[in-house]
Amino acid sequence: MRFAFTDDQKMLRDTVREVLQRECPPDVVRATWEGKRSGADAVWATLAETGVIGMTASEDVGGLGMSELDVLLPLEETGYAALPGPLVDTVAVGVPLLEAGGTDAQQERWLGPVASGEAKLVVAFEDQEVVPYASSADVLVAERAGVGYCVPLSDVAVTAETSVDRARNLGRVKFEASAQYRMREDVDIRALFALGRERAALGTAAQLVGLTRRMLDMSVQYAKDREQFAKPICDQQAVKHRLANALIEQEFARPLVYRAGWAMATGADEAHVAVSLAKVYAGEAARFVSKESLQVHGAIGYTIECDLHMWMKRAWALAAAHGDTAFHRERVGRHLL
């Protein structure tokens, strides 16, 4: 198989990268850690203006009608910036779910505002009660006992939960499974949410690749700037080895994520296996690079004042989200056996 991203796909990546470099510096992430959301909300609005929030929505509701493959590079860039917000939930999972399974009234109320960035959408899969970004969202799409529900957050009880990544606020959600919230009954809701799980794992893997790139870039720059015995520590062979090993892990994970995106977008056989492989290797790369980055930074890397910790903790959280390494390894194993 020969594969390469198109010029349009790379142009969108570059646009998102430029927006995030300008609008989402580490100060915005840090402010979100401290409970100040204005900066993150401004970034969301800017991304909506560029069409990123509506990437997967159909053109009928003001979206771009993009596939799982099209959104990978932008999602990777949001990982690189540690963007605070439910981008995977809204773009990769929620909008396609709502378009395929929402009633006419639900679509009319929510699809346009979500695609334009005026509303944020989060998703709860079967038996999932703790939902990232629930407290800052506007609508919840959830599966309960094989039935789909689309519930305004104003009708959902949200109890805050502590997260290792305080920019990724967690909320325990409860709502009345009322008929007024039910999604369409003439579609296979279980199948739609199962597809949503694959998209969630794939989108998370893409963000993990971006996080890994950023932590490695931080470590390389720190190694150039930090001096010991009148020489930058990047001159030390042991430091070079750590950074080289981190780069290898990153570069091995990246093509697996891209392959999984291609498999999902083209409906390839065994696409779920490709997604599991992508999530395994992206998660392992992120954890490995976290550890090596911390070693390169030394004691300062343990401090809250150092930006590295925000990316490390996002990586730890996402590595466990939508199936951890053990879950996806077992799924691959069941396929092979």
Side-chain angles (χ1 to χ4, degrees):
M1 179 185 73
R2 183 181 182 278
F3 167 79
F5 286 103
T6 66
D7 290 341
D8 287 343
Q9 289 167 335
K10 290 186 282 189
M11 186 181 301
L12 178 60
R13 173 202 62 195
D14 293 343
T15 299
V16 173
R17 180 179 294 172
E18 291 170 7
V19 168
L20 293 174
Q21 284 177 346
R22 183 177 66 250
E23 304 285 343
C24 192
D27 287 348
V28 169
V29 183
R30 187 175 294 279
T32 310
W33 266 70
E34 297 168 355
K36 304 169 187 174
R37 293 208 49 85
S38 58
D41 291 340
V43 179
W44 191 271
T46 304
L47 289 174
E49 290 174 6
T50 62
V52 172
I53 307 302
M55 287 188 294
T56 55
S58 66
E59 295 180 7
D60 293 340
V61 296
L64 300 176
M66 291 185 168
S67 71
E68 292 91 347
L69 181 60
D70 295 323
V71 304
L72 280 189
L73 294 180
L75 288 176
E76 185 179 329
E77 293 304 317
T78 64
Y80 189 88
L83 174 71
L87 200 72
V88 169
D89 274 41
T90 296
V91 176
V93 185
V95 167
L97 264 175
L98 190 54
E99 282 217 65
T103 65
D104 290 343
Q106 290 165 350
Q107 291 184 16
E108 183 177 356
R109 178 176 182 183
W110 293 112
L111 273 179
V114 169
S116 66
E118 298 172 21
K120 294 177 183 176
L121 185 158
V122 291
V123 178
F125 295 103
E126 190 74 78
D127 300 324
Q128 179 188 354
E129 293 184 355
V130 178
V131 178
Y133 304 108
S135 62
S136 57
D138 300 283
V139 59
L140 170 72
V141 172
E143 181 188 14
R144 294 291 182 265
V147 178
Y149 296 91
C150 179
V151 192
L153 258 295
S154 57
D155 296 340
V156 178
V158 181
T159 304
E161 296 283 342
T162 302
S163 172
V164 66
D165 173 13
R166 294 208 298 271
R168 185 175 175 264
N169 60 80
L170 302 179
R172 187 174 296 276
V173 299
K174 289 186 178 180
F175 64 91
E176 181 184 354
S178 170
Q180 64 177 314
Y181 306 130
R182 290 187 72 153
M183 299 172 71
R184 289 173 56 184
E185 299 182 54
D186 60 339
V187 297
D188 190 342
I189 287 293
R190 289 187 186 275
L192 288 178
F193 273 88
L195 180 58
R197 284 183 184 273
E198 303 297 332
R199 288 170 171 158
L202 175 62
T204 301
Q207 289 192 318
L208 282 164
V209 169
L211 286 160
T212 302
R213 279 178 41 223
R214 184 61 174 270
M215 290 187 291
L216 182 55
D217 286 352
M218 286 179 175
S219 301
V220 169
Q221 189 59 53
Y222 183 81
K224 291 178 179 178
D225 296 339
R226 178 75 166 92
E227 291 190 357
Q228 284 185 334
F229 309 110
K231 291 170 52 178
I233 63 172
C234 64
D235 287 348
Q236 298 178 20
Q237 195 78 348
V239 174
K240 292 179 180 180
H241 285 170
R242 287 188 181 278
L243 295 173
N245 289 337
L247 179 61
I248 290 170
E249 291 286 329
Q250 171 197 294
E251 292 303 310
F252 195 78
R254 190 202 306 267
L256 288 172
V257 175
Y258 297 165
R259 176 180 180 272
W262 175 87
M264 287 286 292
T266 59
D269 292 339
E270 302 168 358
H272 66 288
V273 179
V275 170
S276 282
L277 288 170
K279 185 61 166 60
V280 166
Y281 282 94
E284 289 191 341
R287 283 193 292 265
F288 181 84
V289 176
S290 296
K291 182 183 71 174
E292 296 304 294
S293 296
L294 187 57
Q295 291 294 320
V296 170
H297 278 74
I300 195 173
Y302 287 91
T303 66
I304 291 179
E305 290 75 19
C306 181
D307 290 339
L308 175 66
H309 86 97
M310 295 185 291
W311 272 257
M312 287 174 52
K313 290 170 182 175
R314 178 68 58 83
W316 297 342
L318 294 189
H322 304 298
D324 59 10
T325 296
F327 172 86
H328 285 287
R329 280 190 183 278
E330 181 182 355
R331 195 161 75 148
V332 174
R334 286 199 305 268
H335 170 76
L336 293 176
L337 298 176

